[in-house]
Amino acid sequence: MLGSLRFRLPALFLLGVVLSGLVASLIAIRFFQSYNHARAVDELRSESVGIVRLYARQSGAAIVPLASLEHAIGGDKIFYVPAFKGAQIFQPIPRLPATTIDVAKLGNGPAKTLDLRVDEKHSVLVKKKRQVRVTERHYLAVAQPLYLGDPPNAQLLGALVVAKPTSQLRSRSITLIERLAIAFGGGVIVAGLLGVYLTRRITRPLLALSAAADEVAGGNYGVEVPKPVGSDENRASHVEFQRHGREARRV
């Protein structure tokens, strides 16, 4: 059974479809991840420009509600990196260590993309007691310099970092993988059914010729083979078999 043409033809056909589908899926996932990363960076840069302008105007004047602002930008987080010891912007923004980024270099160039890891504290209830736990979260972030005042007398106060959890990027990739898996499974089923149909179409005339050859070998020279549909190699084999059968009957 496993060595028969009826099995090997659809198996090879299906294997080719599976391999090509896997390669195409891997390429699609890789391109999507690259596009997703680039799009996220563009979003963070756009958000960081607007947030820096907002805080530059409001620094020392009014408190900007951080939770509302983070909600407005889709849940992305905002952090502050001071440019020097004692630097303050008088806003309730979580601070990151000054070693997170070289703010002085950032002030002379464009926004910088960061692979950011932040230890976040949160309270949990354990056996009716509140405990504080620290969890490390991974972010894709963009840092934008924050100046106070107008050029050329503007003072560099630090950098505002707008960060997007990498878990959001992974969830988008997982959604794509799930959809590709569904499409891939459907394609394999269709390819398998098509392979079975084509194999039967190819092997049925060959099996009929094989049975007729056994009849001829047993002395039955008048055996008739059903004429195959089409004009391919099976039809040519049928014509040759019929010709040899007529010659054998004349002998």
CSV table of all heavy atoms in Angstrom, one decimal, residues 202-217 223-228 232-245:
chain,number,residue,atom,x,y,z
A,202,ILE,N,-5.2,9.2,-12.6
A,202,ILE,CA,-4.0,8.7,-13.3
A,202,ILE,C,-3.9,7.2,-13.2
A,202,ILE,O,-3.5,6.5,-14.1
A,202,ILE,CB,-2.7,9.4,-12.7
A,202,ILE,CG1,-2.8,10.9,-13.1
A,202,ILE,CG2,-1.5,8.7,-13.2
A,202,ILE,CD1,-1.7,11.7,-12.3
A,203,THR,N,-4.1,6.7,-12.0
A,203,THR,CA,-3.8,5.2,-11.7
A,203,THR,C,-4.9,4.3,-12.2
A,203,THR,O,-4.7,3.1,-12.4
A,203,THR,CB,-3.6,5.0,-10.2
A,203,THR,OG1,-4.8,5.4,-9.5
A,203,THR,CG2,-2.4,5.8,-9.7
A,204,ARG,N,-6.2,4.8,-12.3
A,204,ARG,CA,-7.3,3.9,-12.7
A,204,ARG,C,-7.0,3.3,-14.1
A,204,ARG,O,-7.2,2.1,-14.2
A,204,ARG,CB,-8.6,4.7,-12.7
A,204,ARG,CG,-9.8,3.8,-13.0
A,204,ARG,CD,-11.1,4.6,-12.8
A,204,ARG,NE,-11.2,5.1,-11.5
A,204,ARG,CZ,-12.1,6.0,-11.1
A,204,ARG,NH1,-12.9,6.6,-12.0
A,204,ARG,NH2,-12.2,6.4,-9.9
A,205,PRO,N,-6.6,4.1,-15.1
A,205,PRO,CA,-6.3,3.4,-16.4
A,205,PRO,C,-5.1,2.5,-16.3
A,205,PRO,O,-5.1,1.4,-17.0
A,205,PRO,CB,-6.0,4.6,-17.3
A,205,PRO,CG,-6.7,5.8,-16.7
A,205,PRO,CD,-6.6,5.5,-15.2
A,206,LEU,N,-4.1,2.8,-15.5
A,206,LEU,CA,-3.0,1.9,-15.3
A,206,LEU,C,-3.4,0.6,-14.7
A,206,LEU,O,-2.9,-0.5,-15.1
A,206,LEU,CB,-1.9,2.6,-14.5
A,206,LEU,CG,-1.3,3.9,-15.1
A,206,LEU,CD1,-0.3,4.5,-14.1
A,206,LEU,CD2,-0.6,3.6,-16.4
A,207,LEU,N,-4.3,0.7,-13.7
A,207,LEU,CA,-4.7,-0.6,-13.1
A,207,LEU,C,-5.5,-1.4,-14.1
A,207,LEU,O,-5.5,-2.7,-14.1
A,207,LEU,CB,-5.6,-0.2,-11.9
A,207,LEU,CG,-4.8,0.4,-10.7
A,207,LEU,CD1,-5.8,0.8,-9.6
A,207,LEU,CD2,-3.8,-0.6,-10.1
A,208,ALA,N,-6.3,-0.7,-14.9
A,208,ALA,CA,-7.1,-1.5,-15.9
A,208,ALA,C,-6.2,-2.1,-16.9
A,208,ALA,O,-6.4,-3.3,-17.3
A,208,ALA,CB,-8.0,-0.5,-16.6
A,209,LEU,N,-5.1,-1.4,-17.3
A,209,LEU,CA,-4.1,-2.0,-18.2
A,209,LEU,C,-3.4,-3.2,-17.6
A,209,LEU,O,-3.2,-4.3,-18.2
A,209,LEU,CB,-3.1,-1.0,-18.7
A,209,LEU,CG,-3.5,0.0,-19.7
A,209,LEU,CD1,-2.4,1.0,-20.0
A,209,LEU,CD2,-3.8,-0.7,-21.0
A,210,SER,N,-3.1,-3.1,-16.3
A,210,SER,CA,-2.5,-4.2,-15.6
A,210,SER,C,-3.4,-5.4,-15.5
A,210,SER,O,-2.9,-6.6,-15.7
A,210,SER,CB,-2.1,-3.7,-14.2
A,210,SER,OG,-1.5,-4.8,-13.4
A,211,ALA,N,-4.7,-5.2,-15.2
A,211,ALA,CA,-5.6,-6.3,-15.2
A,211,ALA,C,-5.7,-7.0,-16.6
A,211,ALA,O,-5.8,-8.2,-16.7
A,211,ALA,CB,-6.9,-5.9,-14.7
A,212,ALA,N,-5.8,-6.2,-17.6
A,212,ALA,CA,-5.9,-6.7,-19.0
A,212,ALA,C,-4.6,-7.5,-19.4
A,212,ALA,O,-4.7,-8.5,-20.1
A,212,ALA,CB,-6.1,-5.5,-20.0
A,213,ALA,N,-3.5,-7.0,-18.9
A,213,ALA,CA,-2.2,-7.7,-19.2
A,213,ALA,C,-2.2,-9.1,-18.6
A,213,ALA,O,-1.8,-10.1,-19.2
A,213,ALA,CB,-1.0,-6.9,-18.7
A,214,ASP,N,-2.8,-9.2,-17.4
A,214,ASP,CA,-2.9,-10.5,-16.7
A,214,ASP,C,-3.8,-11.4,-17.5
A,214,ASP,O,-3.6,-12.6,-17.6
A,214,ASP,CB,-3.5,-10.3,-15.3
A,214,ASP,CG,-2.5,-9.6,-14.4
A,214,ASP,OD1,-1.2,-9.7,-14.7
A,214,ASP,OD2,-2.9,-9.0,-13.4
A,215,GLU,N,-4.9,-10.9,-18.1
A,215,GLU,CA,-5.8,-11.7,-18.9
A,215,GLU,C,-5.1,-12.2,-20.2
A,215,GLU,O,-5.3,-13.3,-20.5
A,215,GLU,CB,-7.0,-10.8,-19.3
A,215,GLU,CG,-8.0,-10.5,-18.1
A,215,GLU,CD,-8.7,-11.7,-17.6
A,215,GLU,OE1,-9.0,-12.6,-18.4
A,215,GLU,OE2,-9.1,-11.7,-16.4
A,216,VAL,N,-4.4,-11.3,-20.8
A,216,VAL,CA,-3.6,-11.7,-22.0
A,216,VAL,C,-2.6,-12.8,-21.7
A,216,VAL,O,-2.4,-13.8,-22.4
A,216,VAL,CB,-2.9,-10.5,-22.6
A,216,VAL,CG1,-2.0,-10.9,-23.8
A,216,VAL,CG2,-4.0,-9.5,-23.2
A,217,ALA,N,-1.9,-12.6,-20.5
A,217,ALA,CA,-1.0,-13.6,-20.1
A,217,ALA,C,-1.6,-15.0,-19.9
A,217,ALA,O,-1.0,-16.0,-20.0
A,217,ALA,CB,-0.2,-13.2,-18.8
A,223,VAL,N,-9.6,-9.6,-24.6
A,223,VAL,CA,-9.9,-8.7,-23.5
A,223,VAL,C,-9.9,-7.3,-24.0
A,223,VAL,O,-9.1,-6.8,-24.8
A,223,VAL,CB,-9.0,-8.9,-22.3
A,223,VAL,CG1,-7.5,-8.5,-22.7
A,223,VAL,CG2,-9.4,-8.0,-21.1
A,224,GLU,N,-10.9,-6.5,-23.6
A,224,GLU,CA,-11.0,-5.1,-23.9
A,224,GLU,C,-10.7,-4.2,-22.7
A,224,GLU,O,-11.1,-4.5,-21.6
A,224,GLU,CB,-12.5,-4.8,-24.4
A,224,GLU,CG,-12.8,-5.4,-25.8
A,224,GLU,CD,-12.0,-4.8,-26.9
A,224,GLU,OE1,-11.6,-3.6,-26.8
A,224,GLU,OE2,-11.8,-5.5,-27.9
A,225,VAL,N,-10.0,-3.2,-23.0
A,225,VAL,CA,-9.6,-2.2,-21.9
A,225,VAL,C,-10.5,-1.0,-22.1
A,225,VAL,O,-10.5,-0.4,-23.2
A,225,VAL,CB,-8.1,-1.9,-22.0
A,225,VAL,CG1,-7.8,-0.9,-20.8
A,225,VAL,CG2,-7.3,-3.1,-21.9
A,226,PRO,N,-11.1,-0.5,-21.1
A,226,PRO,CA,-11.9,0.8,-21.2
A,226,PRO,C,-11.0,1.9,-21.7
A,226,PRO,O,-9.9,2.1,-21.3
A,226,PRO,CB,-12.4,1.0,-19.8
A,226,PRO,CG,-12.3,-0.3,-19.1
A,226,PRO,CD,-11.2,-1.0,-19.7
A,227,LYS,N,-11.6,2.7,-22.7
A,227,LYS,CA,-10.8,3.7,-23.3
A,227,LYS,C,-10.7,4.9,-22.3
A,227,LYS,O,-11.7,5.4,-21.8
A,227,LYS,CB,-11.5,4.2,-24.5
A,227,LYS,CG,-10.7,5.2,-25.3
A,227,LYS,CD,-11.4,5.6,-26.6
A,227,LYS,CE,-10.6,6.6,-27.4
A,227,LYS,NZ,-11.3,7.0,-28.7
A,228,PRO,N,-9.4,5.3,-22.0
A,228,PRO,CA,-9.3,6.4,-21.0
A,228,PRO,C,-9.7,7.8,-21.6
A,228,PRO,O,-9.6,8.0,-22.8
A,228,PRO,CB,-7.8,6.4,-20.7
A,228,PRO,CG,-7.1,5.8,-21.9
A,228,PRO,CD,-8.1,4.8,-22.5
A,232,ASP,N,-3.5,11.9,-23.1
A,232,ASP,CA,-2.2,11.9,-22.4
A,232,ASP,C,-1.5,10.6,-22.6
A,232,ASP,O,-1.9,9.8,-23.5
A,232,ASP,CB,-2.4,12.2,-20.9
A,232,ASP,CG,-3.4,11.3,-20.2
A,232,ASP,OD1,-3.9,10.4,-20.9
A,232,ASP,OD2,-3.8,11.6,-19.1
A,233,GLU,N,-0.5,10.3,-21.7
A,233,GLU,CA,0.2,9.0,-21.8
A,233,GLU,C,-0.7,7.8,-21.6
A,233,GLU,O,-0.4,6.7,-22.2
A,233,GLU,CB,1.4,9.0,-20.8
A,233,GLU,CG,2.5,10.0,-21.1
A,233,GLU,CD,2.1,11.4,-20.7
A,233,GLU,OE1,1.0,11.7,-20.2
A,233,GLU,OE2,3.0,12.3,-20.8
A,234,ASN,N,-1.7,7.9,-20.7
A,234,ASN,CA,-2.6,6.8,-20.5
A,234,ASN,C,-3.3,6.4,-21.8
A,234,ASN,O,-3.5,5.2,-22.1
A,234,ASN,CB,-3.6,7.1,-19.5
A,234,ASN,CG,-3.1,7.1,-18.1
A,234,ASN,OD1,-2.1,6.3,-17.8
A,234,ASN,ND2,-3.6,7.9,-17.2
A,235,ARG,N,-3.7,7.4,-22.6
A,235,ARG,CA,-4.4,7.1,-23.9
A,235,ARG,C,-3.4,6.4,-24.8
A,235,ARG,O,-3.8,5.5,-25.5
A,235,ARG,CB,-5.0,8.3,-24.5
A,235,ARG,CG,-5.7,8.1,-25.8
A,235,ARG,CD,-6.3,9.4,-26.2
A,235,ARG,NE,-7.0,9.3,-27.5
A,235,ARG,CZ,-8.3,8.9,-27.6
A,235,ARG,NH1,-9.0,8.6,-26.5
A,235,ARG,NH2,-8.9,8.7,-28.8
A,236,ALA,N,-2.2,6.9,-24.9
A,236,ALA,CA,-1.2,6.3,-25.7
A,236,ALA,C,-0.9,4.9,-25.3
A,236,ALA,O,-0.7,4.0,-26.2
A,236,ALA,CB,0.1,7.1,-25.7
A,237,SER,N,-0.8,4.6,-24.0
A,237,SER,CA,-0.6,3.2,-23.6
A,237,SER,C,-1.8,2.3,-24.0
A,237,SER,O,-1.6,1.2,-24.3
A,237,SER,CB,-0.4,3.2,-22.0
A,237,SER,OG,0.7,4.0,-21.7
A,238,HIS,N,-3.0,2.9,-23.9
A,238,HIS,CA,-4.2,2.1,-24.3
A,238,HIS,C,-4.1,1.7,-25.8
A,238,HIS,O,-4.4,0.6,-26.1
A,238,HIS,CB,-5.4,2.9,-24.0
A,238,HIS,CG,-6.7,2.3,-24.5
A,238,HIS,ND1,-7.2,2.6,-25.8
A,238,HIS,CD2,-7.5,1.4,-23.9
A,238,HIS,CE1,-8.3,1.9,-25.9
A,238,HIS,NE2,-8.5,1.2,-24.8
A,239,VAL,N,-3.7,2.7,-26.6
A,239,VAL,CA,-3.6,2.4,-28.0
A,239,VAL,C,-2.6,1.3,-28.3
A,239,VAL,O,-2.8,0.4,-29.1
A,239,VAL,CB,-3.3,3.7,-28.8
A,239,VAL,CG1,-3.0,3.4,-30.3
A,239,VAL,CG2,-4.4,4.7,-28.7
A,240,GLU,N,-1.4,1.4,-27.7
A,240,GLU,CA,-0.4,0.4,-27.9
A,240,GLU,C,-0.8,-0.9,-27.4
A,240,GLU,O,-0.5,-2.0,-28.0
A,240,GLU,CB,0.9,0.9,-27.1
A,240,GLU,CG,1.7,2.0,-27.8
A,240,GLU,CD,2.2,1.6,-29.2
A,240,GLU,OE1,2.7,0.5,-29.3
A,240,GLU,OE2,2.0,2.4,-30.1
A,241,PHE,N,-1.5,-1.0,-26.3
A,241,PHE,CA,-2.0,-2.3,-25.7
A,241,PHE,C,-3.0,-2.9,-26.7
A,241,PHE,O,-2.9,-4.1,-27.0
A,241,PHE,CB,-2.6,-2.1,-24.4
A,241,PHE,CG,-3.0,-3.4,-23.7
A,241,PHE,CD1,-2.1,-4.1,-23.0
A,241,PHE,CD2,-4.3,-3.9,-23.9
A,241,PHE,CE1,-2.5,-5.3,-22.4
A,241,PHE,CE2,-4.7,-5.1,-23.3
A,241,PHE,CZ,-3.8,-5.8,-22.5
A,242,GLN,N,-3.9,-2.1,-27.2
A,242,GLN,CA,-4.8,-2.6,-28.2
A,242,GLN,C,-4.2,-3.2,-29.4
A,242,GLN,O,-4.6,-4.2,-30.0
A,242,GLN,CB,-5.9,-1.6,-28.5
A,242,GLN,CG,-6.8,-1.1,-27.4
A,242,GLN,CD,-7.7,-2.2,-26.9
A,242,GLN,OE1,-7.3,-3.1,-26.2
A,242,GLN,NE2,-9.0,-2.1,-27.4
A,243,ARG,N,-3.1,-2.4,-29.9
A,243,ARG,CA,-2.4,-2.9,-31.1
A,243,ARG,C,-1.7,-4.2,-30.9
A,243,ARG,O,-1.8,-5.1,-31.7
A,243,ARG,CB,-1.4,-1.8,-31.5
A,243,ARG,CG,-0.7,-2.1,-32.8
A,243,ARG,CD,0.2,-1.0,-33.2
A,243,ARG,NE,1.3,-0.8,-32.2
A,243,ARG,CZ,2.4,-1.5,-32.3
A,243,ARG,NH1,2.6,-2.4,-33.2
A,243,ARG,NH2,3.4,-1.2,-31.4
A,244,HIS,N,-1.1,-4.3,-29.7
A,244,HIS,CA,-0.4,-5.6,-29.4
A,244,HIS,C,-1.4,-6.7,-29.2
A,244,HIS,O,-1.1,-7.9,-29.6
A,244,HIS,CB,0.5,-5.5,-28.2
A,244,HIS,CG,1.7,-4.7,-28.4
A,244,HIS,ND1,2.7,-5.0,-29.3
A,244,HIS,CD2,2.1,-3.5,-27.8
A,244,HIS,CE1,3.7,-4.1,-29.3
A,244,HIS,NE2,3.3,-3.1,-28.4
A,245,GLY,N,-2.6,-6.4,-28.7
A,245,GLY,CA,-3.6,-7.4,-28.5
A,245,GLY,C,-4.1,-7.9,-29.9
A,245,GLY,O,-4.3,-9.2,-30.1
